[in-house]
Amino acid sequence: KQEVTQIPAALSVPEGENLVLNCSFTDSAIYNLQWFRQDPGKGLTSLLLIQSSQREQTSGRLNASLDKSSGRSTLYIAASQPGDSATYLCAVRPTNFGNEKLTFGTGTRLTIIP
Amino acid sequence: DAGVIQSPRHEVTEMGQEVTLRCKPISGHDYLFWYRQTMMRGLELLIYFNNNVPIDDSGMPEDRFSAKMPNASFSTLKIQPSEPRDSAVYFCASSQSIGANEQFFGPGTRLTVL
């Protein structure tokens, strides 16, 4: 059974710093990995999706990497801003055809201190 | 596109009452997912549909929960009778089978059962 872990559960950093969020998964047989952000009381917003054949994806100040063999992904946020404060979740999709079930991590609650 | 639309956004009901949650997926998406989020268990997939057909309902907690998708633009999640332990945020998400299968989430329905 796939298990997805995100450590730490909470992180506070001063504005302007670069930071890395971690995601680990136990079964490397994944089709893709998706990073989401969730603001308090809101739904999930998709940030980046990395296919299993890719090593990284970039969008603006965000860069997500994937090392499938070691079961790890990181989300790098450059020049952090107070607006980046949110909970960040990663989710993996299995490889078997037609299986769309995502397994989510428990998230990292990020606070950017002005 | 307006994104995934859910209604109501908030629902407060008394134990034993029937609750119906509604979802309109993104036009052109052929997958629809229902999730539940609680502090204790995080995000859990309840059921998902492909082309209006239920594919995997193994996450549905018990017979009190049922979901339907009568057409490509509408789905319901019904709880009858509701119990206090059903209190959670229920999310609907959709994706399309062509491409990366990225899932897009609605804003959620916060359900409180008294």
Side-chain angles (χ1 to χ4, degrees), chain A residues 89-100:
Chain A
L89 299 113
C90 65
V92 297
R93 183 190 160 199
T95 53
N96 42 320
F97 177 76
N99 187 344
E100 299 292 323

Side-chain angles (χ1 to χ4, degrees), chain A residues 31-32 34 36 38 42-44 46 49 51 93 98-102 104, chain B residues 31 33 35 37 43 45 48 56 58 91 100-103 105-107 110:
Chain A
Y31 184 76
N32 61 39
Q34 202 167 347
F36 297 86
Q38 184 175 25
K42 301 290 179 63
L44 279 70
S46 179
L49 182 147
Q51 298 285 24
R93 183 190 160 199
N99 187 344
E100 299 292 323
K101 294 178 71 170
L102 293 182
F104 281 84
Chain B
Y31 281 93
F33 307 82
Y35 291 89
Q37 186 177 41
L43 259 171
L45 177 67
Y48 75 92
D56 188 331
S58 59
F91 289 104
N101 307 94
E102 188 175 0
Q103 290 191 19
F105 280 69
R110 182 174 296 277

Side-chain angles (χ1 to χ4, degrees), chain B residues 38-66:
Chain B
T38 62
M39 288 293 294
M40 291 296 293
R41 301 174 66 93
L43 259 171
E44 302 173 282
L45 177 67
L46 300 177
I47 185 172
Y48 75 92
F49 296 82
N50 179 221
N51 291 320
N52 313 336
V53 176
I55 302 300
D56 188 331
D57 64 355
S58 59
M60 296 286 262
E62 47 196 278
D63 291 346
R64 297 185 297 106
F65 286 70
S66 62

Side-chain angles (χ1 to χ4, degrees), chain A residues 6-63:
Chain A
Q6 292 184 249
I7 295 173
L11 180 66
S12 294
V13 301
E15 180 179 0
E17 283 197 5
N18 303 325
L19 60 100
V20 174
L21 305 180
N22 299 297
C23 173
S24 300
F25 45 95
T26 55
D27 186 349
S28 62
I30 65 169
Y31 184 76
N32 61 39
L33 183 146
Q34 202 167 347
W35 280 95
F36 297 86
R37 78 174 269 169
Q38 184 175 25
D39 293 282
K42 301 290 179 63
L44 279 70
T45 300
S46 179
L47 297 173
L48 290 164
L49 182 147
I50 311 178
Q51 298 285 24
S52 61
S53 58
Q54 297 175 320
R55 297 290 298 211
E56 63 179 70
Q57 280 284 345
T58 298
S59 175
R61 294 183 295 108
L62 306 180
N63 176 277

Side-chain angles (χ1 to χ4, degrees), chain B residues 55-89:
Chain B
I55 302 300
D56 188 331
D57 64 355
S58 59
M60 296 286 262
E62 47 196 278
D63 291 346
R64 297 185 297 106
F65 286 70
S66 62
K68 293 182 180 180
M69 192 164 186
N71 58 62
S73 59
F74 183 67
S75 176
T76 60
L77 177 67
K78 185 175 294 186
I79 308 172
Q80 166 64 17
S82 58
E83 297 182 2
R85 59 193 169 118
D86 301 330
S87 297
V89 181

